[in-house]
Amino acid sequence: MAGREPYSPKHRTALVLTGTGTAGAYHAGVLRALAEAGVRIDLVAGHGAGAIGAFFTAIEGGPALWAQDGFWRQKAVAGFYAWRSALRLLGWAGAAALALVLVPLAAFVLGLAVFPASLLLSLVGADSGRTLADSYASLVRDAFAPGGLASWVPRASLLLAAAVLAALAVAASRVRTAGRTRERGKFWWRVFGAPVDSRAVVSYWQTAVWRLITGGARAPRPDPADLSRRYAELLTENLGQPGFRELLVLVHDLDTRRDVAMAALTDPYRRTFFGRRAAGARAVPERAGETLDLAGAERDHTMDILAAALCLPVVTEPWPVTFAAESYWRGETHRWCDRPGGVARLLEEVQAAGAEQVIVVSAATADRDPHTLTDLRLDGRGRIGAWLASEGAASVRDAIRSASPGFRRVQAICPDHNPLGPLDMIGTYDERSDRVQLLAEALDQGYADAYRQFIEPVVGAADSTI
């Protein structure tokens, strides 16, 4: 908590949602608490998983996130950020190849158990001992006879290798970035490029947005450009109406090495925010390549922004975005993704959008005390999640410190303890409680933290006359 003045509902307030993966469920719990308490939110902003909460909250769709049958409670969430199919294929193929190689060894190991057991049975006078030994010897003789293991193991290995190569060739042909014809790298880099697949999570949340717009109807989802226009029209035409809020989402452009902010704002904040793109003495030409206006022609990229926010840096393929020929980038195709440390830039853009006080929501835990080290996660998803969680916590802490002088007040909502890593979609083991904590509990934790850290001590003590 930081700021120069006490919180007041009369000031223009922005809600900033930051984090990755499971952080979205925590955001949903906080959104529920803020909605129940009637906290005034003028602008909702986010990056990463925070884009989900921002997109839904902006069009009065928050309950669809936290309800008992809400989108964060569906079974499909468990499949988010799975390993890419090429890697899974190689893993299963490796296991099958290893099993083929180990078949002869398994026969030998089995003999080490069979013959001692046969000897013991013979010593106690049981006829079954000799029968056991004879049966095993007959089995081994048949297995290693011509046409047995010595014949079909090499054949199976060859067929397995051929199937793997064919599957990898198909996988490689599908990894090419749409809209880009120039790519450098060997064949295997095309296959092994990004280990995690974000397509399932992107498709899920785009479909969720469509169902929210259509009131839950099962109509086929339109193409991304059409869905983008429908969402943008719904939001911009209802800004200022009860339940609708201004929106600001941040992603990162890998090709220009700049952050891109998409916003839907009311006047005069819209004129101020986007006005610097126009020609003039005080114009900032770079802003034309760094900001997208949902009320303009750039609205066709609305779903691109949502998809890119859900693409993790390095570990997933970035989201390709092809600009119109008449746009600032003149028909180029760029690669967008999330930037875990983008909360500082997001706060800058929120300030440029006229926010006077900010509520920052992060699922990353605060600083740890001495002697609170936990067991290291050695699995791949655990290692990735540990880095994302650490990056997120440090970025939020530093961003709040540096941004505080620019706002009347900056309020943080974050858990004291959160065993879930950003990619623990099916839950994880919690050492403190000695049990498995599920993703659904993150919603309850966000709800409780919002009341304990902000609504009761801050909102409850606020003077509405300030």
Side-chain angles (χ1 to χ4, degrees), residues 18-20 340-341 343 362-368 381-399 418 420-423:
T18 178
T20 304
V343 61
S362 171
T365 55
D367 295 335
R368 291 179 172 175
R381 293 166 64 87
R383 290 174 184 266
I384 296 170
W387 177 81
L388 291 172
S390 180
E391 169 74 7
S395 298
V396 169
R397 180 179 62 250
D398 295 342
N418 182 15
L420 290 176
L423 303 184

Side-chain angles (χ1 to χ4, degrees), residues 83-407:
W83 296 110
R84 279 184 53 205
S85 56
L87 292 181
R88 293 200 303 270
L89 172 64
L90 286 177
W92 284 110
L98 181 61
L100 288 174
V101 173
L102 292 179
V103 167
L105 181 61
F108 172 74
V109 173
L110 181 61
L112 296 179
V114 168
F115 285 110
S118 174
L119 177 61
L120 290 176
L121 290 173
S122 299
L123 292 176
V124 298
D127 294 336
S128 56
R130 182 179 181 83
T131 303
L132 179 62
D134 291 342
S135 299
Y136 175 76
S138 177
L139 176 64
V140 171
R141 184 169 52 252
D142 293 340
F144 288 92
L149 289 177
S151 176
W152 65 261
V153 167
R155 294 176 183 176
S157 300
L158 182 60
L159 290 175
L160 180 62
V164 170
L165 290 177
L168 292 181
V170 173
S173 65
R174 296 180 177 178
V175 174
R176 181 177 295 276
T177 301
R180 296 288 286 268
T181 58
R182 296 185 300 174
E183 294 181 347
R184 290 183 295 173
K186 301 296 184 180
F187 165 83
W188 47 84
W189 289 122
R190 193 180 299 279
V191 177
F192 300 109
V196 177
D197 193 351
S198 61
R199 290 176 297 179
V201 61
V202 169
S203 177
Y204 179 85
W205 287 113
Q206 287 184 347
T207 301
V209 169
W210 171 241
R211 290 182 180 174
L212 180 64
I213 292 175
T214 58
R218 296 289 178 174
R221 189 184 76 192
D223 63 84
D226 187 16
L227 179 57
S228 296
R229 288 190 290 270
R230 296 193 188 199
Y231 179 90
E233 290 171 359
L234 175 64
L235 176 58
T236 56
E237 292 175 0
N238 290 279
L239 281 179
Q241 299 298 320
F244 289 84
R245 298 174 177 86
E246 298 168 67
L247 174 68
L248 198 158
V249 177
L250 189 80
V251 297
H252 185 70
D253 189 330
L254 292 173
D255 291 287
T256 64
R257 301 180 182 180
R258 301 175 181 175
D259 292 321
V260 179
M262 180 203 71
L265 305 172
T266 58
D267 288 327
Y269 306 106
R270 177 173 176 264
R271 292 195 301 270
T272 303
F273 189 84
F274 295 107
R276 292 180 289 171
R277 304 194 304 179
R282 296 185 178 181
V284 182
E286 291 79 5
R287 292 290 289 180
E290 296 179 347
T291 55
L292 301 176
D293 188 359
L294 249 65
E298 297 150 335
R299 63 184 181 179
D300 287 356
H301 295 302
T302 303
M303 289 299 108
D304 288 329
I305 287 285
L306 176 60
L310 301 176
C311 293
L312 309 180
V314 182
V315 297
T316 71
E317 293 293 337
W319 190 259
V321 180
T322 301
F323 296 94
E326 64 275 9
S327 69
Y328 178 84
W329 294 113
R330 302 183 182 278
E332 295 178 0
T333 297
H334 292 189
R335 300 165 301 154
W336 288 356
C337 68
D338 179 38
R339 184 165 71 89
V343 61
R345 175 63 184 275
L346 186 58
L347 288 174
E348 292 179 9
E349 298 294 349
V350 164
Q351 185 177 12
E356 299 176 279
Q357 56 189 12
V358 180
I359 305 168
V360 180
V361 181
S362 171
T365 55
D367 295 335
R368 291 179 172 175
D369 297 324
H371 309 301
T372 57
L373 297 180
T374 58
D375 292 342
L376 292 177
R377 294 280 298 272
L378 300 181
D379 59 293
R381 293 166 64 87
R383 290 174 184 266
I384 296 170
W387 177 81
L388 291 172
S390 180
E391 169 74 7
S395 298
V396 169
R397 180 179 62 250
D398 295 342
I400 290 177
R401 289 176 180 174
S402 60
S404 294
F407 296 97

